[in-house]
Amino acid sequence: MKRLIATLRTMSSKKEQIDYIWEYYKLHIIGSISAIIFLGIMVGNIFDEEEKVFEVMVVSEASLSVIEQVEEDLSDHTFDAFTLFFEYIQHKGGKVEESAYQQMQKMSAALSVGQIDIIITDKALAKQLIEEDLFLPLSEVIDLNQINQEDYQLADFETNEIYGISTKNAAYLDAPTFDDTFILVPATSRNQEYVQEVIDVLLP
């Protein structure tokens, strides 16, 4: 700890300090957050029978007001078995803002415990997470033959499997910022049986 403090004191900016801590201690940080979230989920399951939540994580350049509009538009559509919930991380120019480091840590932890059921993000982040084996080929969770490929582009991200569906023409995702993002399914999703139902709503 003394060595870490001494090293941080030699750095001229808070951003440099954050980058250093994230680079060398991210596994400890993610592990700690994952453990806390896992314990919280376990305790919740033991003491409280809650309604299922299907979580959509949006990591894009869209503004908060755009995401709120999507949520408002979808609020009129009800699902019998679960509640649709949106989480949001904003980034610009393909780079996560300094203030979003904590949110990215949260995303990593949430992925590790199966809290996120769909991620909507751009090609660069999608490819990175696919290379880390964090997404499922879509053929394992939905019927790709039901996707109208004249309206919705399927993406393999330079692999031999289809991992993503373009949101360019997706209902409810009609803001320009969704023209270059894709729908993907984390391998850890705990609600894979409902993915088809949600995608049918987003891609009618």
Side-chain angles (χ1 to χ4, degrees), residues 110-162:
L111 280 171
S112 70
V113 297
Q115 187 175 329
I116 302 174
D117 301 299
I118 279 178
I119 286 185
I120 298 175
T121 192
D122 61 24
K123 185 175 182 179
L125 182 58
K127 288 183 67 174
Q128 177 184 334
L129 297 181
I130 288 169
E131 289 172 359
E132 296 175 9
D133 294 325
L134 293 179
F135 287 135
L136 285 174
L138 288 181
S139 60
E140 296 186 15
V141 284
I142 67 172
D143 182 358
L144 291 175
N145 293 323
Q146 293 186 20
I147 303 297
N148 183 349
Q149 296 186 41
E150 292 184 2
D151 293 328
Y152 308 113
Q153 173 194 356
L154 301 180
D156 62 7
F157 301 99
E158 301 175 8
T159 70
N160 294 322
E161 299 278 1
I162 299 299

Side-chain angles (χ1 to χ4, degrees), residues 40-52:
I41 291 172
M42 291 296 293
V43 171
N45 288 339
I46 293 172
F47 293 104
D48 191 16
E49 187 67 30
E50 295 182 356
E51 182 180 8
K52 282 186 177 291

